[in-house]
Amino acid sequence: RVFSLSSLTAASLCFRYCLQPETGGECLRWGVNRSLAHSRVLAHKERLDNLYVAFAVMLRAVVKAGDAITAAVPPAGAAMGEGRREWETRLLPGVRALGAACPTSFDETSLLEGDGEGLRREMLQARFEHLGRIMRCVGCDRCKLWGTLQARGFATAVRVLLADADGPAPALTRQEAVALVVTLERLSASLAFVRELL
């Protein structure tokens, strides 16, 4: 349930939906598809719950990995340097404040405690690898891009959260850092969209 991407994907696609497709596959007009949002997400309490749980997971991971995200972005270069400064001065402090204000909803370390910890960790990793293979087979390029990015974001979040609880977050690649931050942003935007429609 925690790692269900269907609610996030459905909410994201309903928020920016092709309302007027062109014959060649392009879209002439984008907008909100309220009826699809209701049928795919809003009419299903468990799907709404999934969005909130996924947001809590991602927020905790981004808070824990804040310094690792900063370290993954090179400070040199105009575009990278400016983005990194904004992350360090505005976005990361805001994310940390939000994380401190949110209640603790679960203890992620309990996912792997006890007998068979190694096996459960391997099974979890295998599920994310399988999800990545599924995303490569998706026909819609837009869905494939967002699904792959979000799957990587969740896989990275799990790796961050299940790392040494008292230690710093593991080092991240730039792609993992981007996936974490973008997935948190997509979840946040999806929840704002859901609140607007309810």
Side-chain angles (χ1 to χ4, degrees), residues 7 20 86 102 164 188:
S7 300
Q20 187 178 355
E86 178 160 355
C102 288
D164 181 15
S188 179

Side-chain angles (χ1 to χ4, degrees), residues 25-198:
E26 295 296 317
C27 186
L28 298 174
R29 189 167 59 94
W30 295 91
V32 173
N33 187 328
R34 293 176 185 276
S35 63
L36 189 61
H38 280 282
S39 68
R40 295 276 175 92
V41 181
L42 301 176
H44 306 276
K45 183 184 178 330
E46 72 281 358
R47 293 179 187 172
L48 286 171
D49 290 346
N50 283 344
L51 280 175
Y52 286 101
V53 170
F55 180 79
V57 168
M58 195 59 56
L59 179 62
R60 286 171 63 167
V62 171
V63 167
K64 182 174 181 178
D67 294 333
I69 292 169
T70 302
V73 178
M80 291 290 196
E82 185 177 318
R84 182 175 168 155
R85 275 189 299 283
E86 178 160 355
W87 169 254
E88 289 177 306
T89 60
R90 190 176 72 79
L91 298 174
L92 182 56
V95 166
R96 285 181 171 153
L98 181 59
C102 288
T104 301
S105 50
F106 61 93
D107 177 14
E108 65 273 354
T109 60
S110 67
L111 288 172
L112 300 177
E113 285 181 343
D115 294 336
E117 175 184 336
L119 179 61
R120 284 194 299 276
R121 189 179 293 267
E122 287 175 23
M123 287 175 58
L124 191 57
Q125 182 178 352
R127 285 185 183 199
F128 278 112
E129 289 170 3
H130 180 69
L131 181 59
R133 286 192 301 274
I134 289 171
M135 295 313 322
R136 286 190 289 276
C137 294
V138 172
C140 169
D141 287 339
R142 184 169 172 237
C143 298
K144 184 186 299 186
L145 171 69
W146 285 109
T148 301
L149 184 65
Q150 291 164 1
R152 183 172 222 172
F154 279 108
T156 304
V158 168
R159 187 168 71 86
V160 166
L161 291 173
L162 296 179
D164 181 15
D166 298 324
L172 302 175
T173 65
R174 188 168 57 200
Q175 291 81 9
E176 289 172 324
V178 167
L180 270 176
V181 173
V182 169
T183 304
L184 178 64
E185 185 279 328
R186 288 287 76 212
L187 281 161
S188 179
S190 293
L191 288 174
F193 172 58
V194 163
R195 269 196 316 267
E196 180 183 307
L197 293 181
L198 288 177

